[in-house]
Amino acid sequence: MSHLAESKLKLAVFKFASCDGCQLSLLDCEDELLTVAGLVEIAYFLEASSTIVKGPYDITLVEGSITTPHDQQRIQEIRRQSKILITIGACATSGGIQALRNWGDHQEFLKAVYARPDYISSLASSTAIADHVKVEYELRGCPINRHQLLDVIRSLLAGSKPRLPAYGVCVECKLRGTVCIAVARGVPCLGPLTQAGCGAICPAYDRGCYTCFGPAYQANARSLIQHYRSQGITGDSLIPLLRNYNAHAPEFRDISSRLDGKFPLPMTGT
Amino acid sequence: MTPSRTIQVNALTRVEGEGGLHIRLKGNVIEDLQLAIYEPPRFFEAFLRGRPLNEVPDVVARICGICPIAYQMTAVHAMENALSITVPHEIRQLRRLLYCGEWIESHVLHVHLLHAPDYFGCTSGIQLAERFPQEVTRGLRLKKHGNELLEILGGRAIHPINVAVGGFYRVPRREELARLIPDFQWGLEAAVAATRWVAAFPIPEMSRPYDMVALVHPDEYPMNEGNICSTTGLNLPFDEYENVFEEEQVQHSTALHSVYKQTRACYHVGPLARVNLNFDMLSPMAQQVAAEVGFTVPCNNPFQSIIARCLEVVHAYEEALDILQNYRPFAPARQNAAYQKAEGCAATEAPRGLIYHRYQVDEQGKVTFAKIVPPTSQNQRQMEDDLREYLPRLIHLADAQVASECERLIRCYDPCISCSTHFLKLTVDRG
């Protein structure tokens, strides 16, 4: 540990139910990784380091959603240990793909996957971290955009408030010069409902946005869905489009449930 | 009476996902040894049912952030087998290129940031960089090449968006891929240098009577296709996988264990298995550097898997360069087929080893059944078996050291624990 270590901010990375992709984004900052590692003390980051430094932590990144009784408790302890808690990714900010269980029969899911469901401890719902504890910042995305993550860390190191985009994917599409595939080709694209951050990749690859970054701040889901339905696109194909990586985000949860008349489980947060 | 001694690794580090290890010893006798994967279940196979089949590649990518391509490609192959879609040579080549990208980023990450620190008593790749700044920086540059390739061809490195049943949503323009060529030429040399560096590590002696299982293809180093073969003589078409192997649930882990159906024996998948079964299919440069560093097959030392990984990186660079240099855009970007009630399976080679998927779909193109067997579930029993063999050598050490040596051995497998929890239907419980 260098003589500066005590003055460095302590960074911790915790994981709940997830694919590891968002914390991997930090290791994918190949050009900046060693610089970042020099600026903060990596106090807890199991995927990257066997060194474990006890809390409290200045900046805590949390990946993944709450899906077990044990994790409901663990997030409380992590909150107590953290000055600034930032959730990273769709799982942590809206429950992730595993929140599809919220519309299903949890017992049936358990039986479908495990011969002995009684060995498994799991909640009937998957919920966002903010449903359980106070969160200072949320980084959207499935996965997050690593440049955004670096920006946030940089801002915090400089003592300023991180700025996150408050506009939709459509703006990124325009900046990229991509012709609107919804208007020009009638492809159902959820860009107008989705928060910017990915760089509008999907339309640039000839496919509609499927909302990895979750709902934009002023998303008018009802209006867009009405428009697509008037174009002859059925609820049957719109529901899975709305109900995937951010299915449990309120805007998508409500509109998709209106379309099929099935409402998800109430949340089981504390 | 000899007192019992318990050694516990609560959270394995420098692996993907979450797992722990519990060992109970009585004197020199191992009373209990459990590799526990406590990653919470996410139920992929259960909620895939009812979803449109063309979404499956996007959904299964989310099983694992480090090897999403392996999940996507195994799913598209299985769907194409179900719908009788045959893709042309050009699509096949681009898919191999995608695999090269994933092998490069995943293997290089594991070698430099997760595994190499073990050989120098470092706790992270970042700490290792203080001692080997050039080598780790070189590794980060190689890893970046893999990610850049995935970004161009897949749209982004983690959870790519361009993989479709039947091909791609959009094929790259020639200049998009061509700009990678100079980097990949540098990278091939750098990958050879990385192999030389790694081969000189103080690698422990160990030899295990492994039954190694990997795909084998008559014309190429296996990535997306081949027969399932083993070092003990197994050779069967991939669609007979479930006749020979099955998963069983154990109480101490949320991940299922794969074993041979008949004998309940474990087996070993991954780069060491692939190199052992396909050494002659490695690229010329990979074979040359293997000879130079004295790596020969059969190799049954799990600690040498780090060299096998490096050889595969050299191979991936050489194959990727060949595809990049000969690439011409083509149309259409994908093959379409009418939906029908059907079933299909496929096996491919994820960075960590054999991966198997099977799906059933209905006339509307909706999934009615899904089964996904990731590599880590197949290696889990083997890892426990290795630890039982390795432990007696460590027993004289202090607990903390025993624990860290065991972690080291587990890390040879590059276990991807996030992958290990979503398996449909296991039937046997042996308590």
Side-chain angles (χ1 to χ4, degrees), chain B residues 310-363:
Chain B
C310 288
L311 294 173
E312 288 196 333
V313 173
V314 174
H315 175 96
Y317 266 100
E318 223 170 342
E319 178 156 355
L321 262 174
D322 186 47
I323 299 171
L324 290 170
Q325 280 161 340
N326 292 302
Y327 175 68
R328 301 281 181 284
F330 55 89
R334 62 180 179 276
Q335 306 289 310
N336 291 315
Y339 293 151
Q340 53 178 315
K341 192 169 188 290
E343 179 174 62
C345 65
T348 79
E349 286 288 346
R352 283 149 205 83
L354 191 73
I355 174 169
Y356 172 84
H357 290 205
R358 177 163 60 90
Y359 299 96
Q360 287 166 358
V361 294
D362 66 15
E363 297 83 353

Side-chain angles (χ1 to χ4, degrees), chain A residues 15 19-20 27-28 30-31 46-47 50-51 108 112-116 142 204-205 207 212 236 240 243, chain B residues 13-14 17 39 49 51 58 62 65 123 143-144 147 152 156 161 170 249 418 421 423-424 426 429:
Chain A
K15 174 188 152 64
C19 77
D20 274 45
L27 296 179
D28 275 357
E30 291 95 3
D31 294 334
L46 291 186
E47 183 176 284
S50 306
T51 302
E108 193 272 328
V113 179
Y114 294 100
R116 290 292 303 261
C142 182
Y205 280 75
R207 63 179 298 195
C212 301
D236 208 30
R243 202 177 279 169
Chain B
T13 58
R14 283 185 278 131
E39 180 84 21
R49 293 172 306 186
R51 295 191 77 90
D58 299 323
R62 270 69 185 185
T123 59
K143 181 165 140 350
K144 192 177 170 185
N147 281 331
I152 292 170
R156 66 182 164 203
I161 53 91
R170 170 172 86 71
Q249 191 182 355
S418 312
T421 54
F423 317 5
L424 192 59
L426 210 23
D429 164 35

Side-chain angles (χ1 to χ4, degrees), chain A residues 182-263:
Chain A
V183 172
R185 289 177 24 209
V187 175
C189 172
L190 296 190
L193 302 183
T194 303
Q195 191 185 305
C198 66
I201 312 167
C202 285
Y205 280 75
D206 283 345
R207 63 179 298 195
C209 164
Y210 58 97
T211 75
C212 301
F213 274 66
Y217 289 118
Q218 293 181 320
N220 188 344
R222 245 180 130 165
S223 164
L224 186 74
I225 295 306
Q226 222 163 25
H227 166 73
Y228 285 140
R229 294 195 74 182
S230 73
Q231 304 284 302
I233 298 164
T234 62
D236 208 30
S237 54
L238 291 169
I239 292 163
L241 199 55
L242 288 157
R243 202 177 279 169
N244 46 46
Y245 314 99
N246 289 282
H248 206 71
E251 296 83 346
F252 296 162
R253 187 175 69 206
D254 296 346
I255 188 78
S256 73
S257 299
R258 258 174 221 278
L259 283 171
D260 77 348
K262 283 186 214 150
F263 291 85

Side-chain angles (χ1 to χ4, degrees), chain B residues 211-215 227-232 234-248 257-269 347 354 356 358 371 373 377-378 425-428:
Chain B
D211 182 9
M212 300 202 184
V213 175
L215 294 180
N227 270 14
I228 297 171
C229 294
S230 82
T231 46
T232 50
L234 184 78
N235 184 345
L236 69 155
F238 65 87
D239 56 3
E240 285 180 38
Y241 176 85
E242 288 179 71
N243 295 336
V244 177
F245 304 101
E246 73 179 357
E247 296 170 291
E248 62 182 33
H257 284 195
S258 283
V259 291
Y260 275 95
K261 250 182 177 167
Q262 292 292 323
T263 57
R264 320 308 301 169
C266 59
Y267 57 100
H268 179 125
V269 301
L354 191 73
Y356 172 84
R358 177 163 60 90
K371 180 187 177 79
V373 185
S377 80
Q378 302 182 76
K425 185 107 188 167
L426 210 23
T427 40
V428 192

Side-chain angles (χ1 to χ4, degrees), chain A residues 135-150:
Chain A
V135 167
E136 272 77 22
Y137 301 101
E138 290 188 329
L139 270 180
R140 300 278 197 77
C142 182
I144 55 166
N145 177 328
R146 64 177 193 274
H147 302 293
Q148 238 174 43
L149 176 64
L150 282 176

